[in-house]
Amino acid sequence: MKTTTAALAALLALTGGALAAGSHAGGHGEAGMMAIGKPGIAADASRTVTITMMERDDGGMVFEPASLAVSEGETLRLKFVNKGELDHEFVMDVHDGIMEHKELMERFPEMEHDDPNSIRLAPGATGEIVWTFASAGDFGFACLIPGHYDSGMKGDISVRH
C-alpha cells in the first residue's frame, strides 16, 4: 500500500494535476474520454481482435499482432492471452503518454494501476478490453513492465476516418 501511495503522490507531482483533467493524455470534457477514445460497450463491438503476449527464444518480447488498423468511432473487443512465462501488460495511449508511463514504471516498478486502457496478465492468463476508438490518429500500445518495452514489446494503432 505504501508503494502505491508513494507512486500516486509522485504521479500527481509529475503531472501537475493533469489527472484532474480526465486522463494521462488530458481530458476532452467527457468522463472517461482519452485522446485514444474511451471504454466501449461490449454489445457495440464490431469485431474481436486476439492479441498474444509472449517472449521469444532470442530474448525479445512481442505482441502478436504488433499493429492494429481501426476506423474512427469503431468499438473493438480486444482479447488477450499471455502465452509467455512472465507477467505482461498492455497499455494503449498517445505515444507521449506511453513514454511518460514507461518512465514512471521504471521509477516505481511495483506500481499497480487499474486504468480502462490497460490490462496486466500473469503467464497463461486471458482477459479483454472493450474500447471505442473515438478519434482518428496514430497511437500506440506497449508493455511497460521495466525492460519489456526495450525488448520489443510495443506496437502501433492507426485510427482512420
Side-chain angles (χ1 to χ4, degrees), residues 44-60:
D44 294 340
S46 62
R47 60 189 166 117
T48 299
V49 177
T50 299
I51 299 173
T52 302
M53 310 161 149
M54 65 185 161
E55 305 91 43
R56 295 189 318 223
D57 291 339
D58 66 2

Side-chain angles (χ1 to χ4, degrees), residues 12-109:
L12 290 174
L14 285 172
T15 61
L19 290 175
S23 70
H24 298 288
H28 287 202
E30 184 179 332
M33 181 69 128
M34 301 174 64
I36 193 169
K38 63 183 179 179
I41 298 168
D44 294 340
S46 62
R47 60 189 166 117
T48 299
V49 177
T50 299
I51 299 173
T52 302
M53 310 161 149
M54 65 185 161
E55 305 91 43
R56 295 189 318 223
D57 291 339
D58 66 2
M61 298 182 189
V62 295
F63 290 105
E64 288 183 358
S67 64
L68 299 173
V70 184
S71 296
E72 184 177 22
E74 187 176 9
T75 299
L76 293 184
R77 179 187 310 269
L78 302 172
K79 294 184 93 169
F80 300 91
V81 58
N82 183 350
K83 290 189 177 179
E85 297 178 11
L86 303 170
D87 280 12
H88 291 296
E89 70 176 13
F90 173 95
V91 178
M92 61 182 162
D93 201 349
V94 295
H95 291 287
D96 287 346
I98 288 172
M99 297 315 292
E100 288 173 16
H101 193 148
K102 178 181 180 287
E103 181 181 318
L104 191 61
M105 288 290 291
E106 288 169 352
R107 291 177 47 199
F108 302 100

